Amino acid sequence: MAHVSAAERRPQLIKAAIDLMTREGVAAGSTRAIAAELGVAQATVHYTFGTKEDLYRAVMEQLTHDLIAQVERATPADAGFEETVTALAAALWQTVLEQPTTHQLLTELSMFALRTPRLQEALESHYREVTAVTTKLVTEAAERTGHQLAQPAETLARFFLAGFDGLSSQHLSLPDEEAEHTCLQALVSAVVALAGGRMEFVTLPTS
């Protein structure tokens, strides 16, 4: 049998891990099971990645990069500010509707990473990258259209992603197409209002 280098084996193992954990959940993703999914020895997984946590980190990175690439391709490069935010939300939501298992797996991996010290950095990197890309799209749209942002672009990105993550979780847990559409519209409207300085802030009670 021809020798397969670690560089060639790496994407194969990542795909095998994604396929397995998408079907059976993160708990089923042992190095033995992932090796069996690809039809290689368990030692191959450890030789390629070192530890299970290193493989999980690679899986999170791959899922994140794939989703970001889809959204960037779908976001217009010549639209107005509101149209750009709307297109961003629509493109992201389409990935939820078309690839719910991908979002579910990312959520499971995130929860697992919260209790796994070796994956804390991977989790932070995932959210940092998603926030950075969203911030970049907001910034570019504002600069392109001469839109003066009333809040920092990163604040707008974090606000948008917080609402979107909540809607995604609701869709996976208790889907309601009509309510989700309304909430997504409200989220986009709130982001646009916040960006334009048209949102009134309530005073939060202090402890």
Side-chain angles (χ1 to χ4, degrees):
M1 182 178 295
H3 172 72
V4 179
S5 68
E8 293 176 282
R9 190 65 82 190
R10 182 182 176 85
Q12 296 174 351
L13 285 168
I14 292 173
K15 182 180 184 304
I18 291 173
D19 290 345
L20 173 68
M21 290 192 287
T22 296
R23 289 197 318 269
E24 302 181 26
V26 173
S30 65
T31 55
R32 183 185 300 277
I34 292 168
E37 179 80 9
L38 187 60
V40 298
Q42 184 178 8
T44 300
V45 179
H46 292 289
Y47 174 75
T48 306
F49 288 97
T51 66
K52 180 177 73 174
E53 288 77 17
D54 291 329
L55 174 54
Y56 279 19
R57 180 182 297 107
V59 167
M60 290 184 71
E61 291 172 352
Q62 185 66 54
L63 292 173
T64 302
H65 291 165
D66 289 347
L67 287 174
I68 286 174
Q70 291 179 57
V71 172
E72 287 184 320
R73 286 195 298 268
T75 303
D78 56 356
F81 183 80
E82 182 174 335
E83 290 78 11
T84 299
V85 176
T86 301
L88 170 62
L92 261 177
W93 190 248
Q94 198 62 31
T95 67
V96 175
L97 298 178
E98 294 179 352
Q99 306 163 54
T101 53
T102 297
H103 286 270
Q104 181 178 342
L105 180 54
L106 260 176
T107 300
E108 290 180 25
L109 284 168
S110 296
M111 294 303 101
F112 179 78
L114 282 173
R115 292 188 175 275
T116 308
R118 287 178 59 88
L119 283 175
Q120 285 288 328
E121 184 182 345
L123 182 60
E124 291 175 7
S125 177
H126 162 70
Y127 279 103
R128 191 179 298 114
E129 184 170 2
V130 171
T131 301
V133 169
T134 308
T135 301
K136 171 176 169 286
L137 293 173
V138 170
T139 300
E140 289 177 347
E143 292 176 346
R144 184 176 65 245
T145 59
H147 192 91
Q148 189 69 33
L149 296 178
Q151 296 289 335
E154 183 174 343
T155 299
L156 296 170
R158 292 175 71 94
F159 175 68
F160 169 75
L161 291 170
F164 188 86
D165 285 347
L167 278 175
S168 300
S169 295
Q170 288 182 9
H171 176 75
L172 294 173
S173 306
L174 189 65
D176 183 326
E177 183 177 345
E178 184 176 350
E180 290 161 1
H181 181 71
T182 299
C183 290
L184 191 61
Q185 285 182 306
L187 175 61
V188 173
S189 298
V191 171
V192 172
L194 184 61
R198 300 189 302 276
M199 181 178 287
E200 293 187 11
F201 290 89
V202 300
T203 301
L204 296 176
T206 57
S207 56

